[in-house]
Amino acid sequence: MSRIYLETLINADINTVFDLARNIDLHQKSTSKTHEKAIAGRTSGLIEENETVTWRAKHLGVYQNLTTKIISMEKPNQFTDEMQKGVFKSLRHQHIFKTVNGKTIMTDIFDFESPLGIIGKMFNKLFLKNYMKNFLLERNKLMKTTAESSTSHEMTT
């Protein structure tokens, strides 16, 4: 099992960041490089507990589908999604939010396992973990920019 742990400090309130993290439309915008599109289940707006979304994206030159389900949610502190169907042996993504000094710390704990036993473990270590980390960093960068620009816009209006 591979784990990616990221913390992102965002100068916005926890409710804004929480909603951006579960916003299907923003996710699609952040993954434009892989042409990721929600094709089934919740396909736009804010995903809720027990809802699923099926993503279709081009990774490593191949189109793939991945269905995830929100298995737990405590607004605005955390939600967890877990793969229901897809190419991974397992995938679980915990999104945790905490207010510190008027800002939000968003923590991603992304656990995944590739199929194919030892070959999958080598692929994780040599390539996939870094690929997935960069994928999450790109998403978080857009979330941070969006949250902080909407906060500064609200302050000036």
Side-chain angles (χ1 to χ4, degrees):
M1 177 87 59
S2 293
R3 172 169 280 183
I4 298 168
Y5 182 92
L6 298 173
E7 284 189 352
T8 307
L9 180 63
I10 301 175
N11 188 13
D13 73 276
I14 194 169
N15 291 299
T16 298
V17 178
F18 181 82
D19 284 347
L20 287 173
R22 61 194 185 99
N23 187 306
I24 302 289
D25 305 301
L26 184 74
H27 181 87
Q28 288 178 121
K29 190 184 279 189
S30 75
T31 59
S32 61
K33 290 178 185 173
T34 58
H35 309 287
E36 195 152 330
K37 179 119 178 86
I39 60 167
R42 168 69 78 158
T43 58
S44 66
L46 302 179
I47 195 161
E48 298 289 347
E49 187 170 12
N50 294 317
E51 288 187 324
T52 63
V53 58
T54 299
W55 300 101
R56 180 163 178 78
K58 191 174 189 177
H59 291 283
L60 310 174
V62 178
Y63 275 98
Q64 303 170 28
N65 290 352
L66 174 76
T67 301
T68 60
K69 179 179 182 176
I70 304 298
I71 61 166
S72 74
M73 182 180 285
E74 295 171 30
K75 295 177 182 177
N77 302 306
Q78 71 84 23
F79 69 94
T80 300
D81 56 272
E82 197 168 73
M83 183 186 80
Q84 303 296 297
K85 188 176 175 185
V87 297
F88 290 94
K89 185 174 180 182
S90 67
L91 185 148
R92 181 182 175 101
H93 187 178
Q94 296 175 67
H95 309 255
I96 303 164
F97 308 87
K98 192 163 105 179
T99 301
V100 176
N101 299 326
K103 298 179 182 181
T104 302
I105 296 177
M106 179 177 71
T107 303
D108 292 283
I109 303 172
F110 190 85
D111 294 313
F112 65 98
E113 191 172 357
S114 295
L116 305 175
I118 191 78
I119 294 169
K121 286 180 181 170
M122 287 174 43
F123 182 66
N124 280 1
K125 191 172 186 171
L126 296 173
F127 176 77
L128 192 58
K129 186 173 182 179
N130 196 48
Y131 179 85
M132 295 307 297
K133 181 179 179 182
N134 288 332
F135 183 81
L136 292 171
L137 287 169
E138 192 70 29
R139 172 186 160 273
N140 292 359
K141 184 173 148 188
L142 179 63
M143 281 183 52
K144 179 177 173 66
T145 302
T146 303
E148 291 177 352
S149 67
S150 70
T151 301
S152 63
H153 174 69
E154 288 168 11
M155 290 177 176
T156 58
T157 6

